[in-house]
Amino acid sequence: MGNLRFFPERASTIAWQVDGLYLLLVGLAVFFSLAVFVLVIAFTIRYRRRSDAERPAEIPGSLPLELAWTIIPLFLAIAVFALGADVFFRMKRVPADPLDVYVIGKQWMWKIQHAAGKREINELHVPVGQPVRLTMTSEDVIHDFFIPAFRVKQDAVPGRYTTLWFEATKPGQYRFFCAEYCGTQHSGMIGKVVVMEPAAYEQWLMGASGTPESLADAGGRLFQQLGCATCHRNDASGRGPSLLGALGKPVRLTTGQEVAVDEPYLRRSILEPQAQVVAGYQPIMPAFTGQVSEEGVLQLIAYIRSLTPSTP
């Protein structure tokens, strides 16, 4: 029993806040459950009927008492909601300049690629003390990426991107799991996060074979192979809109709707280009559904992200 642990190790900046909120909720639930239990027993004994002829005296109402048991729980509920909202927004707001890592769930493994090009399966190497943003999707069914020691989890959904971020606080190895039942080998869809010192992480990232091809470079190569450069010219003279510095900017569609050029928009434009056509252009782009894998789509998006006004 000396080794029994009720909580996984805390190893991220958000872990203590999640635990604090959880313990507060458990504490309130235990307190009010015990209070109700004790009062029920006390009232049962104190106000029991002692004989058949006994007639209990009428108890007049008490406005202060009724206000107390209404207002106090109200303010407690508001306080819990405020704390929960604060933790929620902290978990959803990604800090500036995070380390981007791309994760694809597939029965029954996790395929992971770093922006620098390094690939992993069921392992995730990250530096300590640096925010890490995971952009996730799935190739088949819904999975869920769960790191108990970091107190973070997020679904990986087929056909869309979801994001998850964390900042590890100490080196070590921490398990991650699929927390959404995804098939007969769901229980084996596990892996580990290896948190390293920044210098050791950079050395691991380079590997024995030197600098690998970055995700953006692989996307640029795929961009040329698919012939995308013939229409999407940097000088905006092609049959498709220029992608130079497009990520993060709004664009107007032929329907008159204005949307932001983000990762989900780019993914849909690659796989279903007729769904959202930019105003001023014809719907002539072929669909690449079934021709480009999820890894390929992520590479293309990384390449488009790298296109800045200084790109030749």
Side-chain angles (χ1 to χ4, degrees):
M1 294 295 291
N3 295 324
L4 181 62
R5 302 185 61 170
F6 292 97
F7 289 94
E9 183 179 4
R10 295 190 189 106
S12 74
T13 54
I14 197 69
W16 71 271
Q17 298 176 59
V18 175
D19 285 354
L21 179 62
Y22 174 77
L23 290 174
L24 173 64
L25 292 173
V26 172
L28 287 173
V30 170
F31 172 79
F32 282 106
S33 297
L34 288 176
V36 170
F37 178 77
V38 170
L39 288 174
V40 167
I41 298 299
F43 289 168
T44 300
I45 297 173
R46 174 68 178 82
Y47 298 107
R48 71 187 187 279
R49 189 173 185 181
R50 293 173 174 80
S51 68
D52 293 339
E54 182 181 9
R55 292 293 183 268
E58 181 180 354
I59 300 176
S62 173
L63 181 59
L65 182 61
E66 293 181 2
L67 289 176
W69 69 43
T70 300
I71 295 175
I72 293 175
L74 172 64
F75 279 98
L76 285 175
I78 292 174
V80 170
F81 173 81
L83 290 172
D86 179 65
V87 174
F88 175 80
F89 286 120
R90 288 176 185 270
M91 296 178 72
K92 293 301 180 182
R93 288 175 179 155
V94 184
D97 300 322
L99 176 68
D100 279 304
V101 179
Y102 301 89
V103 179
I104 298 175
K106 180 181 180 181
Q107 294 174 316
W108 286 273
M109 68 175 70
W110 295 101
K111 298 190 289 185
I112 297 169
Q113 184 165 7
H114 298 253
K118 194 81 169 183
R119 295 172 182 260
E120 304 183 77
I121 293 180
N122 294 337
E123 282 193 6
L124 171 59
H125 288 71
V126 297
V128 67
Q130 181 176 354
V132 178
R133 176 173 57 191
L134 306 184
T135 300
M136 302 184 294
T137 188
S138 169
E139 288 189 353
D140 35 51
V141 299
I142 297 177
H143 301 283
D144 188 280
F145 198 84
F146 176 37
I147 313 175
F150 297 168
R151 308 297 194 270
V152 292
K153 66 191 296 288
Q154 178 64 55
D155 284 350
V157 183
R160 58 174 293 186
Y161 291 133
T162 56
T163 59
L164 168 71
W165 83 271
F166 59 84
E167 181 179 338
T169 55
K170 50 186 175 180
Q173 296 187 7
Y174 309 96
R175 287 289 183 182
F176 63 78
F177 305 86
C178 177
E180 183 76 31
Y181 182 73
C182 56
T184 56
Q185 298 182 43
H186 161 71
S187 60
M189 194 170 172
I190 60 178
K192 63 181 179 181
V193 181
V194 181
V195 182
M196 313 170 74
E197 294 293 345
Y201 172 74
E202 290 297 330
Q203 185 177 3
W204 170 85
L205 203 60
M206 297 302 101
S209 58
T211 305
E213 182 183 38
S214 71
L215 201 66
D217 290 341
R221 179 167 46 81
L222 185 58
F223 193 82
Q224 297 295 330
Q225 290 176 356
L226 296 174
C228 305
T230 60
C231 292
H232 297 283
R233 297 177 177 273
N234 290 344
D235 58 5
S237 62
R239 291 178 292 177
S242 171
L243 301 175
L244 195 65
L247 193 66
K249 294 182 179 179
V251 65
R252 186 168 298 278
L253 307 179
T254 53
T255 59
Q257 181 185 7
E258 191 174 86
V259 298
V261 179
D262 53 12
E263 285 85 353
Y265 170 82
L266 291 175
R267 183 185 187 279
R268 191 177 187 189
S269 296
I270 293 169
L271 301 179
E272 305 173 55
Q274 312 302 323
Q276 294 178 309
V277 180
V278 177
Y281 295 92
Q282 298 298 317
I284 59 175
M285 178 175 168
F288 289 97
T289 302
Q291 301 180 53
V292 180
S293 65
E294 288 292 348
E295 291 97 328
V297 173
L298 289 172
Q299 290 169 358
L300 289 171
I301 292 175
Y303 171 69
I304 295 171
R305 180 186 288 111
S306 71
L307 296 176
T308 61
S310 60
T311 303

